[in-house]
Structures are given as C-alpha cells and as structure tokens.
Amino acid sequence: MNTVAVQTFSRQRLCICAFLIIVTSAVAPTVVTAQPLTSFRYETQAQAHCPDDSVVWLDFRKEVYYLKRQKKYGRGWTGSFVCRKEASDSGFRHSLLGVR
C-alpha cells in the first residue's frame, strides 16, 4: 500500500470511531437507582413504618399494588404490605381491578 492510501484509511477509521463515540454517548441510558422498598408481613407493621401514608398490598409477581378497599388486598402468596409512596416510587402500578 502506498502512503496516500494508508493516510486515507486512517482518516476514515478515525471518523468512524468518532462518529460511534458521539452516537453511543448521545443514546446512552441514564443511571437509574432503585428506590428502597420495605415490605412487611403484617399490616400493622407497615402502618407503624409509615404513619402518614396509606398501606397497600403489593403483589410482586404481577407488579401491582391493591388498596384496602380492593378485593385482592392482603391475599396471595406473592405479596406483602408496603407503604403506598414507596410502592409507586419503586415503579409498581396501582391495580384498577377488584374495587369493592
């Protein structure tokens, strides 16, 4: 290879590398930290933990929480009692089903 071809190849390679760095830094995801979620076996424990917040039943498998007036509140093997604000801050959603 002659020197002109080597210089052209090096410039192209440098441009491609710079382009990839710019593109990946522009679309790189931001750092997300998990919110602390304290789960309790009994409703009274959760209420003592968050006296100014309502207690909900969080179903970990379905990733939803139920309010006290809902049918599935306190039922199931894959859930526990948590504070409503902690559940919503952790990314769990409110279930619209089973309202009494």
Side-chain angles (χ1 to χ4, degrees):
M1 285 178 110
N2 59 19
T3 58
V4 175
V6 172
Q7 288 176 350
T8 304
F9 179 73
S10 296
R11 284 186 189 144
Q12 288 175 345
R13 191 171 161 197
L14 179 65
C15 289
I16 291 172
C17 290
F19 175 75
L20 290 176
I21 289 172
I22 291 170
V23 168
T24 56
S25 64
V27 295
T30 58
V31 176
V32 177
T33 58
Q35 297 294 324
L37 181 67
T38 309
S39 59
F40 299 95
R41 182 178 175 99
Y42 301 107
E43 182 180 9
T44 54
Q45 294 172 326
Q47 193 62 58
H49 176 71
C50 52
D52 298 331
D53 196 8
S54 60
V55 175
V56 295
W57 176 258
L58 179 60
D59 189 336
F60 291 105
R61 186 173 53 84
K62 294 180 182 177
E63 297 183 352
V64 296
Y65 62 87
Y66 302 96
L67 301 176
K68 194 168 191 167
R69 67 178 186 267
Q70 291 180 293
K71 186 177 180 178
K72 293 190 177 186
Y73 180 82
R75 296 185 182 184
W77 298 102
T78 61
S80 63
F81 295 101
V82 297
C83 301
R84 184 176 186 175
K85 183 170 179 2
E86 289 181 7
S88 62
D89 289 348
S90 295
F92 295 96
R93 66 191 198 295
H94 170 62
S95 174
L96 300 176
L97 302 175
V99 177
R100 291 183 190 176

